[in-house]
Amino acid sequence: MRRFNFIRDPGPGSGGSNVESFLRGLDGPACLFLSGQDSGRTRALVTLLHGNEPSGAMALHRWLQSGQHPAVNVVCIVASVAAALAAPLFSHRMLPRARDLNRCFRPPFDDAQGALAEEILEILRLHHPEAVVDLHNTSGSGPAFGVCTHMDRQHDALVSLFTRRLIVSNLGLGALMDISEDACPTVTVEVGGRLDEQAHELAYEGLCRYFLAPQVLDQGATEWGLEVLRDPIRLELNDNVTLTYADQPSPNYDITLKTDIEHHNFGTVSPGTLLGWARGTERGLFSALDAGGRCAVTRLVRIDNGELYPARPLKLFMITNNAAIAESDCLFYAVADDGSAICS
Ligand SMILES: [Zn+2]
């Protein structure tokens, strides 16, 4: 079943005057093919895997309006158009009861989201791009960073088009970047908060560099000087554990996180930094697995007299202050305070 609409070289006026009319015009998931000055090579841009992350779609709309031509062919995949357009605009990560599309890039592909992911993989196979960049926003406010499954100079070079911070993570969750191989380096770029003007601007500037540069892969021994965070561990909630955000313990919830917890994004927390309040044991409330599959909960958090603290100096990121995301995804990611993996 063919779900994607294929559009070749849309003209500058074809997208309408704003991103909403652009998405309405796509009429569902879309694949836009932009012919390059060098038509012998192709790059891929994927965006809107999550319908509530607008920066990539906004950047692409702005690019189309600008009337510029890319250096090489670019195949642009705009995925969760229906979720993005579900009112209010850009509020749905996915449609109700649908799976998270960026967890669907591995078999089985047997539901609607799986089929969509499978078709994205098929489009990429067909075009055989030299690189794939997947643009996202974080749900909370915060700085930009790139993510890739293993470190090599091609991933460094691609991420450097957007940001100087790189997370190396191979959690095998079925994300698009999991398909990355030498033939087709794939990176995820989180350009910043979904509501941040700065994030929209960075997405556009980075997209222009990605589309216009004659070379985006590393040509030699460039030292990119990225800040690297290795093998982060996700802190997840156990089933049926309730969570809220407040400035004092909420008696009706198992866990209360401080409302300003996202201020620690990419900062270092010490064992004395109060994160919130919790009733129960660390392992009763949370789950966390390290890269070797061992339980890491007590390496991340410690509950002392009902107060929740980091178990050791840590660097935290992707901290959410949205209970629904914390429940369905995770509360935050953590590495050691120097960016290395947390060892036992
Ligand atoms: Zn996302």
Side-chain angles (χ1 to χ4, degrees), residues 50 53 93 136-137 190:
H50 294 137
E53 298 174 8
R93 185 177 175 90
H136 288 253
N137 289 105
E190 302 271 357

Side-chain angles (χ1 to χ4, degrees), residues 224-239:
W224 299 101
L226 300 180
E227 177 194 0
V228 178
L229 309 176
R230 283 172 199 274
D231 291 328
I233 301 178
R234 296 156 49 85
L235 184 69
E236 298 177 39
L237 282 184
N238 285 340
D239 286 345

Side-chain angles (χ1 to χ4, degrees), residues 123-139:
I123 292 168
L124 294 176
R125 255 192 300 273
L126 218 67
H127 287 278
H128 196 65
E130 61 183 15
V132 180
V133 171
D134 177 20
L135 287 183
H136 288 253
N137 289 105
T138 46
S139 52

Side-chain angles (χ1 to χ4, degrees), residues 7 19 27 49 55 62 64 70 86 88 107 266-267 276 291 301 327-328:
I7 302 164
V19 68
D27 194 28
L49 289 183
S55 288
R62 194 167 152 193
L64 295 174
F266 289 104
V301 288
E327 280 159 21
S328 65

Side-chain angles (χ1 to χ4, degrees), residues 44-60 77-79 102 132-138 144-146 158-159 161-163 176 186-192 199-208 210-211:
L45 175 81
V46 178
T47 198
L48 213 62
L49 289 183
H50 294 137
N52 61 343
E53 298 174 8
S55 288
M58 293 165 88
L60 182 57
I77 292 170
V78 189
N102 207 23
V132 180
V133 171
D134 177 20
L135 287 183
H136 288 253
N137 289 105
T138 46
F145 58 92
L158 285 172
V159 164
L161 295 165
F162 291 84
T163 170
L176 177 63
T186 301
V187 296
T188 298
V189 179
E190 302 271 357
V191 293
H200 307 330
E201 201 56 39
L202 175 63
Y204 181 66
E205 287 165 12
L207 178 147
C208 289
Y210 182 52
F211 284 13

